[in-house]
Amino acid sequence: MKKNTTKVLKAANKYLVMQCIQTYEPVTTEEITLRTSLSRPTVLETVKEFLEAGYIVKNGFSESTGGRPAELICINEDSAYAVGIDFEFPKVRMSFANMKKEIIASREMKFHIDSEADLVLTRLLDEIASLIAEAGKPREKIVGIGLGISGTIHKREGKSLHIKRIRGWDYINMKEILEEKFQVPVYMKNDVHLLALIEKEKYLPADTEDFVYIGIRSGIGSAIFYHNRPLDGNNGNAGYIGHTILDVNGPECVCGNRGCLDAFSGELAMNRFYRTQTGQEDLEEYYTLYDFIEKAKAGDADSALILQRAAFYLGIALSNLLKTLEVETVIVGGCGNLEGSVYWETLKKTVRDSLVHDMEMNPDIRPGRLCREEYALGACCYVFEHLFAKPKLSLAVT
């Protein structure tokens, strides 16, 4: 195992100091020293480097405790920018955010469900260029593009292996395509993993270290945080709950198997069931879970039936996941009107009824708080994480 070099240790110190400033700003150098356990000279040297690079600024003074008040340090919001993409076909959302993770510009587009891969890619590139132009910030300050993508990915190679919902989408190297077009680094991750990342950062208590995040989208995805760290898996596909098989004789899934969770509970499946249930086989309207809940509240019995069915199967899959992981906090995101709906009550009841009671599990199931405009913000945050990437220290005893 390689030894830690001075370069690696310096990178680790920079990572710690930046994480501390981002988390606790406005903050003094004394506070940084206390929270990071680094020496004061190391903190002062690192802060000086960040000031010279423009990533941080001094902004006012702390309250005096008798001596000279200490200067407060904050992130310089205009020092760097990132583009974030939440690629949830047939919908795609984009955000342009500053270093403080504030959204400057955003947009949402919707593709026809039968769109070909080439058409989707062409429009995606055009919309990214348009978003950057709309934001009106210096191109040299854009430090990367974050891409949250559904389907099977190979995160290390930047390939989107399969998105079964898009015709012709196989082994597309999104990283290479975007980097060639925009000349900035591209960082790719599972879309629901990025939703969980921004949900945790913005809305979960700091002491929430172990939880499962369920993303209800065209399909169903999940992310698992354990000891405050996301579980990515070998290639970035951990939490692929949508293709958990619940009934080997069930409806055919887009993946080719039968009885997957997606084939019962994803929005695409719910739309298919709705068309069959109502006899509207030619209906082109695409309803989200939010839409179905609103229709059920307005008295649409077909929507209520479909919601109960989708929530029941999700509850079965979720209870299996909880029994495997023994994690008790669950965040269900991707829809803003869950509470009080027939979907929400069915989901919670199914999970409770399906758990092994002698495990003494009492899961805390909460609705996510992200709004639609924030869905792509997780991809922006993922870019900023790489700006000061956590170095891999050698912890071996020699």
Side-chain angles (χ1 to χ4, degrees), residues 217-275:
R217 326 207 84 198
S218 305
I220 307 290
S222 70
I224 301 155
F225 272 74
Y226 190 63
H227 292 337
N228 218 30
R229 295 176 64 85
L231 177 64
D232 281 350
N234 229 16
N235 290 316
N237 296 300
Y240 213 42
I241 193 174
H243 295 285
T244 300
I245 296 176
L246 302 178
D247 181 356
V248 294
N249 298 311
E252 187 175 353
C253 181
V254 292
C255 72
N257 288 325
R258 286 194 168 274
C260 293
L261 173 61
D262 274 4
F264 291 108
S265 302
E267 286 180 348
L268 285 171
M270 293 172 72
N271 277 272
R272 186 173 64 250
F273 291 141
Y274 185 78
R275 288 193 294 269

Side-chain angles (χ1 to χ4, degrees), residues 56-349:
I56 61 175
V57 291
K58 292 180 178 180
N59 187 12
F61 296 87
S62 64
E63 289 186 16
S64 175
T65 56
R68 183 181 175 184
E71 289 183 299
L72 292 171
I73 296 166
C74 300
I75 296 294
N76 178 7
E77 62 189 45
D78 294 321
S79 60
Y81 301 96
V83 176
I85 305 166
D86 176 42
F87 193 95
E88 183 212 358
F89 188 83
K91 289 169 291 184
V92 177
R93 299 175 183 91
M94 297 180 181
S95 291
F96 188 99
N98 63 21
M99 186 74 165
K100 281 197 173 184
K101 301 165 188 176
E102 299 166 333
I103 297 174
I104 294 171
S106 63
R107 62 185 55 201
E108 179 177 321
M109 67 194 88
K110 186 175 178 180
F111 291 92
H112 192 277
I113 198 68
D114 292 325
S115 297
E116 298 273 359
D118 288 346
L119 182 149
V120 173
L121 265 175
T122 299
R123 186 177 171 197
L124 183 67
L125 296 174
D126 289 345
E127 292 285 352
I128 296 171
S130 179
L131 179 72
I132 291 172
E134 178 189 335
K137 300 299 180 181
R139 290 292 291 263
E140 64 272 14
K141 288 190 175 184
I142 300 174
V143 294
I145 295 173
L147 178 63
I149 197 160
S150 59
T152 313
I153 66 170
H154 198 298
K155 188 177 70 172
R156 285 172 293 181
E157 294 183 9
K159 290 180 180 178
S160 176
L161 303 185
H162 305 288
I163 301 181
K164 300 292 186 181
R165 299 188 294 273
I166 306 177
R167 289 192 293 179
W169 194 287
D170 291 294
Y171 296 95
I172 292 179
N173 195 320
M174 295 292 289
K175 178 178 171 65
E176 185 178 277
I177 292 168
L178 292 175
E179 286 183 343
E180 183 179 341
K181 172 72 175 178
F182 297 103
Q183 298 298 301
V184 294
V186 172
Y187 307 101
M188 192 166 82
K189 197 175 178 74
N190 175 274
D191 58 337
V192 175
H193 289 203
L194 292 180
L195 291 181
L197 175 69
I198 192 63
E199 181 86 38
K200 182 181 191 310
E201 183 160 326
K202 291 198 71 169
Y203 297 115
L204 293 186
D207 61 352
T208 307
E209 294 193 345
D210 301 345
F211 68 95
V212 171
Y213 183 93
I214 300 293
I216 304 170
R217 326 207 84 198
S218 305
I220 307 290
S222 70
I224 301 155
F225 272 74
Y226 190 63
H227 292 337
N228 218 30
R229 295 176 64 85
L231 177 64
D232 281 350
N234 229 16
N235 290 316
N237 296 300
Y240 213 42
I241 193 174
H243 295 285
T244 300
I245 296 176
L246 302 178
D247 181 356
V248 294
N249 298 311
E252 187 175 353
C253 181
V254 292
C255 72
N257 288 325
R258 286 194 168 274
C260 293
L261 173 61
D262 274 4
F264 291 108
S265 302
E267 286 180 348
L268 285 171
M270 293 172 72
N271 277 272
R272 186 173 64 250
F273 291 141
Y274 185 78
R275 288 193 294 269
T276 302
Q277 184 81 15
T278 60
Q280 303 178 70
E281 297 293 347
D282 297 329
L283 182 69
E284 291 192 4
E285 184 72 27
Y286 180 89
Y287 295 118
T288 63
L289 176 60
Y290 185 99
D291 296 329
F292 280 118
I293 289 174
E294 291 302 303
K295 287 164 71 67
K297 286 179 180 177
D300 185 344
D302 292 317
S303 290
L305 238 145
I306 284 160
L307 289 170
Q308 286 178 305
R309 175 191 173 101
F312 171 78
Y313 281 102
L314 175 57
I316 295 296
L318 179 53
S319 70
N320 289 336
L321 188 60
L322 295 180
K323 282 178 279 193
T324 302
L325 299 173
E326 203 175 7
V327 173
E328 293 198 341
T329 300
V330 179
I331 312 298
V332 182
C335 185
N337 58 350
L338 288 172
E339 286 186 291
S341 68
V342 63
Y343 184 95
W344 189 242
E345 297 308 317
T346 303
L347 174 63
K348 291 195 297 180
K349 182 179 186 305

